[in-house]
Amino acid sequence: MPDRGGGPTGPRMRVGRPSRRVRTLLMTLGVLAVLGMAFTMFAGFWTDWLWYRSVDYSSVFTTTLWTKIGLFFVFGLLMAAAVGVNIWLAHRLRPPLSAMSMEQQNLDRYRMGIAPYKKWLLFGITALVGLIAGASASGQWRTWLMWVNGVPFGEKDPQFKLDVSFYAFDLPWYRFLLGFGFAAAILSVIAAALTHYLYGGLRVTSPGARATAAATGHLSVLIGIFVALKAVAYWLDRYGLAVKSSDFRATDNWTGLRYVDANAYLPAKTILFCIAVICALLFFATLWRRTWQLPVIGFGLMVLSAILIGGLYPAIVQKFQVQPNEQAKEAPYVEKNLEATRKAYGIDGTKVTDYTGTSKTEDKTKLRDDVDATASIRIMDPNIVSPTFQQLQQIRNYYAFPNNLDVDRYAKDGKDQDTVIGLRELNLAGIPKKNWINNHFRYTHGYGVVAAEGTSADAQGRPNFTESDLPSEGDLGSYEQRVYYGEKTTTYSIVGGPQKEIDYSDDNGEKTTSYKGDSGVNLSNPVNRAAYAVAFGEPQILYSGAIGEGSRVLYNRTPKERVEAVAPWLTIDGDAYPAVVDGRIQWIVDAYTTTNGYPYSSRTTLGDTTADSLTATNDNRAVVAQQNQVNYIRNSVKATVDAYTGKVKLYQWDTKDPVLKTWMKAFPDTVEPKSDISKPLMDHLRYPQDLFKVQRELLTRYHVKDATTFLSGSEVWQVPDDPTNRSGSAVPPYYLSMKMPDQKAQAFSLTTTLTPNGRDNLSAFMAVDAEAGASDYGKIRILKLPTNTTVNGPKQVQSQFNSQEDIAESIRLLRGGDSEVEYGNLLTVPLDGGLLYVEPVYVRGGGLKYPLLRKVLVTYGGQTAFENTLDEALNKIFGAEGATPEPPDDGDTTPPPTSEDPTVKQALEDAQKAFTAGQDALKENDWEAYGKAQKDLEDALRRAEEAQAAADKAGGAGGGESKPSGSPSADPSGSPSPKPSS
């Protein structure tokens, strides 16, 4: 359009064009920028492909990639076509322009402005919406693969009698299609309406009709499609009620139909479906009637019906039918939820047995031998002794152990024993000099396994190592000790080339090696080097002389991230653990298949359910979940990662799981059959902790089987807080070889305690057979304590430990100087109708900042012992020696008044001197002097105890306990507090 503006004009200024050299430079820079961006995108794709090929899981990469590409193009093109066709149709149906109103004259400027670019504008709009829709659709690759490969569950929901696979695999895909259809309809209506308005088909302020007949018909059809989709949504919502979550009776994420759903919402959805179908037909009828009157009336009635029928009517039913007699109305639906939830979480076979909580045998001396037969009590706490492993077996600063060690079983003298095990992994923070070569070429791997007996300690309180030193030697025999893949190995290494790696150091100096495995990606190809230089942001990879023939780059090196990468459809357990199997160190990783679509099964949030006092202080133990909220879970896969080669193997563990079978159809030949698991590997497989934590959380409510008890809430339990620390988080489950009352022999088990909701006394003891080769593997047993009597729970037991006068005095002495006292795992063992509690006590003393086992606390049947060894404590509880009675459980833990005794006072002063001498010996690493000091300390404490007993006897009934005045007692937290005056 010519410039019609007025105003003075002057001489035109000639704008000079850039010179050819400048234009060439700018063009070159532009081309280089485009090529750089293209190569960066290519580098990410290419390195991913090379990595998947290196681990022999290229089919996972290609299947996932082609699925995403297919969904991107199909749904991107569908969305682009839907919007583009409606814009084109609205333009084609534009009215001829005649005398224009002011509104149309204003719009004419825009029409004239875009006239030369109409095709480009149409292409740009459709391309933009297509890209957005395609990107969104590609993220649904899991939903698509589950729908197209779905395997029937062989179970039907109780309401609609449809196979569970419909809810788990089909319904999510139908909902995605519905959501896509809604988005396409809405965008098409908006695009068509704007086009009609721009070209005069719709008028806002112009006189006459507000819309042409063509525009009316076009928009009516689009709105009719939207309403028809709404009708489909109402129909699918009927089935969605079976997997709908709600808050019911203080139960978060209750899932399934309730009375109001079956008798109000379900018929309401059916009625609304019919209304929506009629309303859609009225909109389609405008193609012939050319009037909006009936469709608008129908749409208004649909909205009003949704409010009255879909909202008000169910509220009336809930208020006047359900609430006056809730238990009777809801009971049938609660029973369906109970059955479905127990089945979906694998807790339907749980055996609940009544347990008295009190011993049946009056003569406790007869039970001493029964303790050893009942449990192999582990006094080495894997969550405490890592610093001890670090101090005694680190050897070099560039090695480290994980913060939490693991518990496994290894045979010794033909008998399995619980073993605490850890790998000496690479710790880059401890290398002498940090630079690129040292970080990525010379220090590349850890070395060796360190293991110790779980049930014993040496005379100094150190672990009894069964595998130790560097290179490691011991009971595990010969195996490949180099650890290139581990929980602490989070950076890349380049191995196998001209640069030698540090293997380990001994008295003869530094040993070097060169990686001989076939793991990683070959860097001899210059394209690969360039791609990794871009992907890692490290240009030295491109030109470094340390990289040559045979060089390979190792990355994605933690066991959890390797398994998650090759099986992105699995949820990974938070605790991978190492085992020596067939001459190799294998990381064993438990993996789960989950779904959020099991009808009537209540949901749980994995991140919250699997959290405990260990995950609160160690993020590496957190569960890795693709979808955090689930209502079905199976430990369907056992995976291994070779610590030397990084090779990943997936084994089918649950052969009946339909979710796993679905993924095996989607990714064929990625999961090996269960029969391929070797006997040596089977010996080290165990029941996974995270699954057990999910199940114990569900069993706090779902251990009951009848609706009446469930609705009353009288049997609700809770997972107690860990009494051995102040994190305020749940107590973790503990692995322990033990025998439940109905078992004939010990079995490797995973155990936990449960308390009443809001109280600290014990409600139940729960254990699952954790040994994979056992016939009862996975069988959950619960010992239910009586509700009419009080049995002490873990927190109460810990409080009584801390409040005992003589124990508090001993702990005060152990805390002397700069020492710290740490409580180990509080283990619970059912024994002869009662419960035996055992807790190791560690001391970090003097200059040695690592814990040593100093004492063992034991309580059973009202008797408590605090001795140097487990055997001594058990002998005191069950043998001929006297035991210290627990204070009455009346909430008052204040020790009784005492009087001063000079003999006791002298003995305690001798104990203090011996303890101080021991701390000084620790600082000097003088173990001989330290051992002598410990003997003196033990002798002094024994003399104090004998003198105290003599004073008590001499004091008679009215004398109370005798103890030097001014000596401290302890509060339940273990902190010293002044003793009240006599």
Side-chain angles (χ1 to χ4, degrees):
M1 301 274 302
D3 184 5
R4 301 179 185 271
T9 61
R12 291 188 176 182
M13 295 184 61
R14 185 166 182 173
V15 181
R17 297 179 62 190
S19 65
R20 177 173 294 181
R21 179 177 297 178
V22 174
R23 280 183 286 155
T24 302
L25 178 61
L26 291 174
M27 186 175 296
T28 302
L29 291 175
V31 171
L32 290 176
V34 171
L35 290 177
M37 293 175 62
F39 188 77
T40 300
M41 296 174 63
F42 166 78
F45 164 81
W46 185 243
T47 53
D48 284 348
W49 161 249
L50 291 174
W51 186 86
Y52 276 97
R53 191 175 64 176
S54 73
V55 294
D56 297 326
Y57 282 89
S58 56
S59 63
V60 174
F61 178 81
T62 54
T63 299
T64 305
L65 177 66
W66 286 117
T67 302
K68 290 180 178 179
I69 291 174
L71 292 173
F72 177 86
F73 279 104
V74 168
F75 287 95
L77 289 174
L78 284 174
M79 183 65 78
V83 175
V85 166
N86 281 287
I87 292 176
W88 171 83
L89 186 59
H91 179 267
R92 184 184 179 103
L93 296 175
R94 67 190 184 280
L97 297 179
S98 55
M100 295 186 182
S101 64
M102 184 62 67
E103 178 185 22
Q104 293 302 312
Q105 289 178 12
N106 292 332
L107 290 173
D108 186 54
R109 298 179 183 179
Y110 298 102
R111 288 194 287 264
M112 297 294 291
I114 66 174
Y117 313 106
K118 285 191 294 186
K119 291 183 179 179
W120 288 106
L121 188 60
L122 176 63
F123 175 77
I125 292 173
T126 55
L128 178 63
V129 297
L131 286 172
I132 295 174
S136 176
S138 65
Q140 297 293 323
W141 63 271
R142 290 183 179 86
T143 308
W144 160 260
L145 288 176
M146 294 183 78
W147 178 67
V148 77
N149 296 289
V151 172
F153 274 66
E155 304 168 12
K156 294 185 178 181
D157 78 282
Q159 181 67 39
F160 301 102
K161 309 304 179 184
L162 296 175
D163 191 271
V164 172
S165 61
F166 170 81
Y167 302 93
F169 306 141
D170 300 344
L171 191 58
W173 178 250
Y174 296 153
R175 282 176 165 166
F176 163 71
L177 292 178
L178 190 62
F180 178 84
F182 276 126
I186 292 171
L187 289 175
S188 297
V189 168
I190 293 172
L194 289 175
T195 306
H196 280 298
Y197 176 71
L198 182 63
Y199 287 96
L202 293 177
R203 303 180 180 91
V204 177
T205 61
S206 301
R210 299 296 185 192
T212 63
T216 299
H218 184 196
L219 294 176
S220 294
V221 170
L222 291 178
I223 297 174
I225 292 174
F226 176 85
V227 176
L229 290 173
K230 187 62 180 174
V232 176
Y234 281 133
W235 189 256
L236 288 181
D237 284 347
R238 299 168 68 255
Y239 303 110
L241 293 172
V243 289
K244 183 194 75 170
S245 287
S246 60
D247 187 5
F248 176 53
R249 283 297 183 102
T251 301
D252 296 333
N253 297 319
W254 166 278
T255 303
L257 284 83
R258 290 157 51 193
Y259 181 89
V260 69
D261 297 311
N263 295 277
Y265 281 110
L266 187 57
K269 297 292 184 183
T270 305
I271 295 171
L272 289 172
F273 164 77
C274 298
I275 294 174
V277 170
I278 295 172
C279 186
L281 293 176
L282 291 176
F283 273 104
F284 294 144
T286 56
L287 286 172
W288 296 276
R289 292 181 55 84
R290 305 293 184 178
T291 176
W292 290 81
Q293 186 176 7
L294 285 178
V296 170
I297 293 173
F299 189 78
L301 288 174
M302 187 180 74
V303 173
L304 183 61
S305 299
I307 296 172
L308 296 178
I309 301 175
L312 185 60
Y313 174 63
I316 293 173
V317 171
Q318 178 69 24
K319 180 70 175 177
F320 295 101
Q321 290 191 33
V322 178
Q323 289 185 5
N325 192 18
E326 185 178 47
Q327 187 156 312
K329 296 290 187 183
E330 300 288 13
Y333 305 96
V334 170
E335 289 177 357
K336 295 174 184 178
N337 176 272
L338 287 171
E339 182 180 358
T341 302
R342 290 169 63 85
K343 189 177 295 183
Y345 289 96
I347 56 178
D348 50 331
T350 300
K351 182 180 180 182
V352 180
T353 307
D354 289 333
Y355 194 72
T356 61
T358 55
S359 177
K360 307 170 186 175
T361 304
E362 293 183 4
D363 185 2
K364 296 297 187 292
T365 59
K366 298 179 180 178
L367 297 178
R368 178 61 185 90
D369 293 338
D370 293 343
V371 175
D372 296 331
T374 300
S376 299
I377 299 174
R378 180 174 42 76
I379 56 175
M380 281 290 112
D381 185 348
N383 308 309
I384 296 289
V385 299
S386 178
T388 308
F389 273 52
Q390 185 83 1
Q391 184 69 29
L392 301 179
Q393 288 296 319
Q394 178 188 20
I395 311 297
R396 293 290 182 268
N397 287 337
Y398 48 82
Y399 295 131
F401 292 92
N403 294 332
N404 304 101
L405 304 177
D406 289 289
V407 178
D408 202 349
R409 295 96 62 221
Y410 285 89
K412 185 174 183 179
D413 300 329
K415 182 180 178 182
D416 285 346
Q417 68 174 8
D418 293 357
T419 302
V420 177
I421 185 171
L423 298 190
R424 192 183 286 113
E425 296 190 45
L426 178 66
N427 174 31
L428 287 179
I431 64 176
K433 184 178 180 180
K434 289 189 175 184
N435 55 53
W436 188 63
I437 293 295
N438 279 346
N439 290 356
H440 301 289
F441 289 82
R442 287 181 57 76
Y443 294 92
T444 59
H445 59 279
Y447 208 99
V449 171
V450 176
E453 293 180 3
T455 56
S456 67
D458 68 9
Q460 283 77 40
R462 299 174 300 183
N464 279 324
F465 291 108
T466 57
E467 186 80 10
S468 59
D469 299 331
L470 183 68
S472 295
E473 296 179 346
D475 297 344
L476 302 185
S478 177
Y479 59 95
E480 174 55 67
Q481 298 200 16
R482 297 172 182 87
V483 181
Y484 282 88
Y485 295 86
E487 291 180 307
K488 287 184 170 293
T489 317
T490 56
T491 187
Y492 70 90
S493 291
I494 298 176
V495 298
Q499 178 65 60
K500 291 293 184 181
E501 310 161 43
I502 293 177
D503 203 20
Y504 64 90
S505 300
D506 58 16
D507 294 338
N508 297 321
E510 200 171 76
K511 308 292 184 182
T512 60
T513 188
S514 187
Y515 185 65
K516 300 297 191 298
D518 58 357
S519 180
V521 178
N522 198 323
L523 291 180
S524 58
N525 185 326
V527 176
N528 291 358
R529 292 178 67 169
Y532 279 101
V534 172
F536 290 166
E538 184 50 72
Q540 293 187 77
I541 294 177
L542 192 59
Y543 54 79
S544 174
I547 301 176
E549 189 65 31
S551 291
R552 310 179 73 85
V553 59
L554 313 181
Y555 62 105
N556 287 353
R557 296 168 71 182
T558 68
K560 288 197 288 186
E561 67 183 349
R562 289 182 79 80
V563 174
E564 186 181 28
V566 303
W569 34 273
L570 289 174
T571 296
I572 311 302
D573 188 271
D575 183 28
Y577 61 97
V580 177
V581 180
D582 290 329
R584 315 286 297 189
I585 300 175
Q586 298 282 356
W587 287 99
I588 300 175
V589 183
D590 286 287
Y592 310 108
T593 47
T594 61
T595 182
N596 198 21
Y598 196 100
Y600 274 97
S601 173
S602 290
R603 291 181 172 85
T604 187
T605 303
L606 290 181
D608 296 336
T609 308
T610 58
D612 57 28
S613 61
L614 298 182
T615 60
T617 57
N618 186 357
D619 292 339
N620 291 332
R621 296 181 73 93
V623 64
V624 180
Q626 292 293 346
Q627 55 177 11
N628 203 23
Q629 205 174 62
V630 303
N631 67 352
Y632 171 94
I633 186 169
R634 289 290 185 272
N635 175 213
S636 54
V637 170
K638 301 282 188 181
T640 61
V641 178
D642 192 292
Y644 183 76
T645 66
K647 185 173 181 61
V648 182
K649 287 188 177 182
L650 307 176
Y651 296 99
Q652 182 183 15
W653 184 247
D654 190 330
T655 57
K656 297 179 180 180
D657 178 29
V659 181
L660 177 60
K661 291 179 180 179
T662 296
W663 287 118
M664 290 174 68
K665 281 182 63 179
F667 296 96
D669 302 324
T670 57
V671 181
E672 300 182 24
K674 187 176 183 178
S675 57
D676 285 1
I677 299 177
S678 66
K679 177 62 168 60
L681 175 58
M682 183 71 77
D683 290 341
H684 294 282
L685 300 182
R686 67 189 192 188
Y687 201 82
Q689 291 187 35
D690 284 334
L691 177 60
F692 185 73
K693 285 189 279 188
V694 170
Q695 291 174 325
R696 76 172 176 178
E697 179 65 33
L698 268 296
L699 281 168
T700 59
R701 289 167 287 134
Y702 287 90
H703 62 278
V704 300
K705 297 183 180 180
D706 63 286
T708 302
T709 306
F710 186 89
L711 287 168
S712 71
S714 60
E715 290 289 332
V716 175
W717 300 336
Q718 67 180 12
V719 180
D721 292 339
D722 191 343
T724 64
N725 62 51
R726 301 182 182 181
S727 67
S729 301
V731 61
Y734 297 124
Y735 286 105
L736 182 68
S737 290
M738 57 163 292
K739 180 176 67 174
M740 291 289 275
D742 65 332
Q743 293 179 292
K744 296 182 179 179
Q746 290 185 24
F748 190 64
S749 305
L750 193 53
T751 66
T752 191
T753 51
L754 298 166
T755 59
N757 193 25
R759 297 174 60 194
D760 294 327
N761 57 288
L762 198 66
S763 280
F765 177 81
M766 174 180 169
V768 63
D769 280 21
E771 192 165 351
S775 58
D776 281 348
Y777 171 81
K779 183 174 182 179
I780 299 175
R781 295 175 171 88
I782 293 179
L783 302 181
K784 183 176 177 294
L785 280 299
T787 57
N788 58 346
T789 59
T790 300
V791 178
N792 288 336
K795 186 175 181 180
Q796 292 172 323
V797 170
Q798 185 69 46
S799 177
Q800 291 180 6
F801 277 157
N802 295 338
S803 61
Q804 291 261 7
E805 186 73 13
D806 55 341
I807 295 175
E809 179 64 27
S810 298
I811 289 177
R812 186 191 71 82
L813 293 174
L814 292 175
R815 290 184 191 273
D818 58 351
S819 299
E820 299 176 7
V821 172
E822 294 185 33
Y823 294 103
N825 39 213
L826 179 57
L827 301 177
T828 309
V829 178
L831 177 68
D832 189 49
L835 292 165
L836 175 70
Y837 286 97
V838 179
E839 181 178 72
V841 178
Y842 299 84
V843 175
R844 292 178 186 247
L848 299 179
K849 297 300 182 182
Y850 61 91
L852 297 174
L853 181 67
R854 283 288 166 260
K855 292 286 184 178
V856 180
L857 282 162
V858 176
T859 184
Y860 181 80
Q863 302 293 320
T864 300
F866 184 61
E867 302 298 325
N868 294 330
T869 67
L870 176 62
D871 282 341
E872 290 177 5
L874 292 174
N875 288 338
K876 187 170 183 179
I877 291 292
F878 298 106
E881 300 181 47
T884 306
E886 293 186 0
D889 186 19
D890 57 1
D892 182 9
T893 58
T894 304
T898 62
S899 60
E900 183 173 342
D901 184 280
T903 307
V904 175
K905 183 176 180 180
Q906 182 61 49
L908 291 176
E909 289 176 355
D910 293 342
Q912 181 66 59
K913 292 177 182 178
F915 179 79
T916 303
Q919 301 307 301
D920 294 339
L922 282 176
K923 293 178 181 179
E924 300 297 330
N925 283 335
D926 187 344
W927 294 107
E928 183 177 354
Y930 178 77
K932 181 179 182 303
Q934 291 303 300
K935 291 180 180 179
D936 292 342
L937 175 61
E938 183 178 351
D939 179 67
L941 290 175
R942 180 179 53 77
R943 287 189 286 111
E945 182 179 1
E946 291 173 353
Q948 180 70 60
D952 290 344
K953 185 175 181 180
E961 291 189 5
S962 175
K963 188 178 181 297
S965 62
S967 61
S969 60
D971 64 15
S973 66
S975 302
S977 60
K979 186 186 79 63
S981 59
S982 299

